Amino acid sequence: MNSTDLIAEILGKPYFQAPNCLIYNMDCLAAMRWLPDRFVDLTVTSPPYNIGKEYERSFMFSIIYQLPRSQASKRVVKNKK
């Protein structure tokens, strides 16, 4: 079983699928809780797409919203050396 098959087995049917690519339209924290450590090659997040938005200017937004997502991404992304 390849990694995309395993992810689909864990998270269910993706919103979009192409060879070696699954896209899920779901809360990223909920999804990453189910994934094993060092399992995915890449995560894509909204920054830098939120630069210049009113909510992005708040330091508390960064701490409360972004930090948990960054930590979860760090846990599931493979270490490439």
Side-chain angles (χ1 to χ4, degrees):
M1 178 179 290
N2 66 35
S3 60
T4 54
D5 291 339
L6 185 53
I7 291 172
E9 186 175 302
I10 293 169
L11 298 179
K13 184 178 180 187
Y15 174 78
F16 174 82
Q17 184 171 356
N20 298 316
C21 177
L22 302 175
I23 297 175
Y24 285 87
N25 184 13
M26 63 189 306
D27 181 89
C28 65
L29 287 176
M32 287 189 282
R33 282 187 196 108
W34 291 98
L35 298 177
D37 292 354
R38 308 289 175 239
F39 187 69
V40 299
D41 294 313
L42 173 72
T43 61
V44 178
T45 64
S46 64
Y49 308 110
N50 66 346
I51 291 176
K53 303 291 184 193
E54 188 62 35
Y55 63 83
E56 188 268 336
R57 295 184 185 136
S58 166
F59 178 73
M60 287 309 293
F61 171 80
S62 296
I63 298 300
I64 294 169
Y65 186 80
Q66 299 287 25
L67 185 61
R69 284 147 184 82
S70 297
Q71 292 169 330
S73 291
K74 182 179 177 184
R75 182 187 66 79
V76 300
V77 173
K78 295 175 185 173
N79 288 331
K80 298 279 185 169
K81 296 187 183 199

